[in-house]
Amino acid sequence: MFSLLEVAKNSPFRTPFTKVQCDVPTHGVEGPVPGRHIQAASAAAESCEFGSNKYFALCSLGGILSCGTTHTFVVPLDLVKCRLQVDQAKYKNLFTGFKITVAEEGVKGLAKGWAPTLYGYSAQGAFKFGLYEVFKVYYAKVLGEENAYLYRTTLYLAASASAEFFADMALAPFEATKVKIQTTPGFANTMREAMPKIMNEEGINGFYKGLVPLWMRQIPYTMMKFACFERTLELLYKFVVPKPRAECSKGEQLVVTFAAGYIAGVFCAIVSHPADVVVSKLNQAKGSSALDVTRSLGFMGMWQGLMPRIVMIGTLTALQWFIYDGVKVALAIPRPPPPEMPASLKEKLGK
């Protein structure tokens, strides 16, 4: 039975550096690593080995920081977006939504739901990014090195879907609380008020009744977020960036990360929007099922608030990838380059 670390060493998504032991600098190593064009001496700067338990733990920390902070930052936009989805007759559009909210509740009203957003998306980020890295290594082992490279888009989709399945279980109670605070006037103003009220009125089901539509929203979103990002990043370095990633500065690499993240975010918003509307309506309407809400909305109703969500999710996704990659730089976590074709496959194809 191979450990994840042993599998990671043979993965096409591995770090380009060899390391003897995590946290121990490698000295006296000269020349490029076999099959790579980057000097192994650079590995001394890394804080852990790619695929190790510490690597996965630090990636989870990066996920907490990237998801928790960004989602909390856009709470005002999220609040107006949710209100547009559940009461378009009153809020009409993004500008009117902000105007009415400030007029009725003051500027501080725009921060409603910040606490469940911070806690919920921090928990979700830990599972989303941490487990994505775990599943990516594991599925690469199942496919084998050559197939992992050839079918890497499928691998990204499978790894991200698997990670999000568990991430949403952590998010669901906080998402239900957030939406209830933001869209039900007079229900509660804080998470401490809202959670006990939901428990008393609906029991534990009140926190998880939106889990299935949350899966319907978040799993396609995350699949697009990771697969589109990974392939866009690969294409940007291949066709747009005028030099190899290894020759780019850390700052230049982060700019490319942000651009790839924003492109991925636009597609994420579109594929996940109908389910997002259903989640908002479902958590507002006590006693309704996802099917009831879908029927009442109709096809066109499930596209309410799309433009503000594209702006929000595009910015959000770009910032998340920027922060996640920035955390990797700051903590010296291995950052594998775009995947390379294995030597064995090059021989088979005569390349």
Side-chain angles (χ1 to χ4, degrees):
M1 218 31 206
F2 291 104
S3 70
L4 281 177
L5 179 56
E6 291 171 325
V7 172
K9 289 177 181 177
N10 297 316
S11 167
F13 310 106
R14 65 191 179 276
T15 176
F17 310 123
T18 41
K19 290 202 51 153
V20 177
Q21 185 178 354
C22 189
D23 292 325
V24 178
T26 304
H27 299 292
V29 181
E30 296 180 358
V33 179
R36 297 283 174 160
H37 303 290
I38 303 172
Q39 295 297 106
S42 300
E46 292 179 0
S47 63
C48 61
E49 190 166 2
F50 176 75
S52 65
N53 289 334
K54 181 177 178 182
Y55 171 79
F56 294 129
L58 290 176
C59 286
S60 293
L61 176 61
I64 290 171
L65 295 173
S66 67
C67 290
T69 55
T70 52
H71 277 276
T72 305
F73 177 73
V74 296
V75 161
L77 185 59
D78 183 46
L79 178 140
V80 175
K81 181 266 302 178
C82 286
R83 290 180 174 181
L84 264 171
Q85 289 172 339
V86 302
D87 192 355
Q88 193 173 31
K90 177 179 179 180
Y91 293 98
K92 294 183 176 61
N93 55 53
L94 192 61
F95 177 77
T96 305
F98 273 105
K99 187 177 178 181
I100 292 173
T101 299
V102 172
E104 291 181 349
E105 303 172 55
V107 175
K108 69 177 183 179
L110 293 172
K112 264 191 171 181
W114 72 267
T117 298
L118 176 61
Y119 288 109
Y121 283 94
S122 292
Q124 186 215 34
F127 284 94
K128 185 200 297 271
F129 282 91
L131 288 181
Y132 173 71
E133 300 285 357
V134 172
F135 282 119
K136 190 165 73 166
V137 169
Y138 177 75
Y139 291 153
K141 173 206 168 185
V142 172
L143 290 172
E145 188 177 14
E146 292 180 6
N147 285 331
Y149 174 79
L150 290 173
Y151 304 106
R152 58 194 182 280
T153 301
T154 302
L155 187 150
Y156 300 145
L157 291 169
S160 56
S162 302
E164 189 61 39
F165 179 83
F166 294 101
D168 288 342
M169 294 181 185
L171 172 62
F174 298 98
E175 181 73 359
T177 303
K178 174 189 78 74
V179 173
K180 200 78 171 176
I181 291 171
Q182 291 179 339
T183 62
T184 307
F187 181 77
N189 290 316
T190 66
M191 186 173 76
R192 285 180 297 177
E193 288 179 62
M195 282 191 153
K197 287 185 77 171
I198 293 172
M199 190 66 183
N200 290 336
E201 291 180 8
E202 302 179 65
I204 196 70
N205 183 59
F207 294 110
Y208 288 97
K209 69 178 182 179
L211 181 58
V212 172
L214 197 58
W215 277 330
M216 291 169 61
R217 180 188 84 184
Q218 289 297 133
I219 290 177
Y221 163 84
T222 300
M223 291 170 72
M224 185 65 72
K225 173 179 181 174
F226 283 86
C228 185
F229 171 80
E230 297 269 23
R231 292 312 301 264
T232 301
L233 195 68
E234 191 176 329
L235 292 172
L236 286 176
Y237 278 113
K238 188 174 182 180
F239 297 110
V240 179
V241 181
K243 54 187 175 181
R245 197 187 88 154
E247 295 177 15
C248 296
S249 67
K250 292 292 191 291
E252 289 170 335
Q253 290 178 25
L254 290 174
V255 169
V256 177
T257 295
F258 185 86
Y262 208 101
I263 293 168
V266 172
F267 289 100
C268 288
I270 294 169
V271 301
S272 63
H273 189 73
D276 182 60
V277 177
V278 172
V279 170
S280 296
K281 273 284 190 183
L282 188 64
N283 286 307
Q284 181 203 36
K286 187 167 62 175
S288 297
S289 68
L291 190 58
D292 294 334
V293 170
T294 302
R295 285 172 177 165
S296 67
L297 285 169
F299 178 78
M300 293 306 295
M302 289 193 294
W303 294 99
Q304 293 172 179
L306 177 60
M307 286 312 297
R309 190 157 190 269
I310 285 177
V311 174
M312 184 183 84
I313 296 299
T315 306
L316 204 64
T317 305
L319 286 173
Q320 284 178 1
W321 279 115
F322 184 84
I323 293 170
Y324 182 64
D325 213 27
V327 169
K328 281 190 169 185
V329 170
L331 298 181
I333 304 170
R335 299 164 64 241
E340 288 184 1
M341 184 181 291
S344 60
L345 187 58
K346 287 181 181 178
E347 287 179 16
K348 289 180 182 178
L349 298 176
K351 292 188 177 182

